[in-house]
Each structure stands twice: as structure tokens, then as C-alpha cells.
Amino acid sequence: MTGSSLRSGQLAEAAGVNQQTLRYYERRGLLDSPQRSPGGHRLYPAETVTLLRVIKTAQRLGFTLNEVADLLDASRHRGRSDTGLQARAREKLIEVEQRLADLTVIRDTLRDAISAGCDDLVACAESSCCPLPVR
């Protein structure tokens, strides 16, 4: 093993993922297949830690693994501005804002149901003052 290579356990620990995640990301094409040591150990370049952290951060921001793969591909082909981070971040922001609006409606409806004293879903649905959208 060279000084700039990490075994899968070392990489997983450094990036805060498990080894199964590494293999899964390889199968999905997010990580290149690693080289092998003479003993058969997987050896990853040290910069793979950063790549894994980028992937996990993108997932926390709501990007799916397919979207992450597209973003990584776009970053490898920088001329494709229509699929780059700026465009995708704008699209994701619109999705998040819509989900927040939907969650606000749900929250308000649940508050109304609590305030109305709804205790039986069927009985409440039959009442004209039921705040639940069952009509």
C-alpha cells in the first residue's frame, strides 16, 4: 500500500460511511473501482474521502443518488452548465420550498383537528366542522 492509498476500512472510517456503502457506490458508478494490493485489498486514492463527503452532503441536501451521479458527471464535463450544480440546486430549492408549503398545510390541518377536538376519524369526517380534508 502506498502512502496516498487507503484500504476500504480506512476510507470508510475517514469518510464516516461503512464498507458496504463503498461497494454500493462502486456498483452505482459513483466511485471508480479501486486498485488492489498484492494481497487483494482494495486501495482507494486518498482524495476519495472528499468525494464520499461530497456525496453524503449532497444526499443531506435532498439530492438522490441518481441526481448526485448526474452532478458528478456534469462536474467532469464542465461545459454542460444546464446540468451543473447551479441549475440543479435551483431545481432542488423549488422542490424543497414546495415540500415546506405542503408540510405547512399538513401542520395547520393537524392543529385545526386538535383544536376542533377530533377524536374519531369517521365521526369527525361526518361532521360539518371537521377540518380534515376528507370530502
Side-chain angles (χ1 to χ4, degrees), residues 18-57:
N18 61 50
Q19 292 183 43
Q20 291 78 16
T21 299
L22 299 179
R23 290 186 190 96
Y24 180 67
Y25 287 177
E26 272 181 54
R27 288 192 305 272
R28 294 286 307 257
L30 296 166
L31 294 180
D32 292 331
S33 295
Q35 294 183 355
R36 298 281 185 157
S37 71
H41 296 283
R42 296 167 180 258
L43 299 176
Y44 295 88
E47 56 271 7
T48 308
V49 173
T50 300
L51 178 58
L52 286 166
R53 289 178 179 163
V54 165
I55 293 168
K56 298 311 284 181
T57 298

Side-chain angles (χ1 to χ4, degrees), residues 60-78:
R60 281 192 301 276
L61 291 173
F63 290 98
T64 66
L65 282 180
N66 286 339
E67 291 170 330
V68 172
D70 288 346
L71 285 168
L72 292 173
D73 186 51
S75 70
R76 292 181 189 115
H77 306 94
R78 295 207 184 259

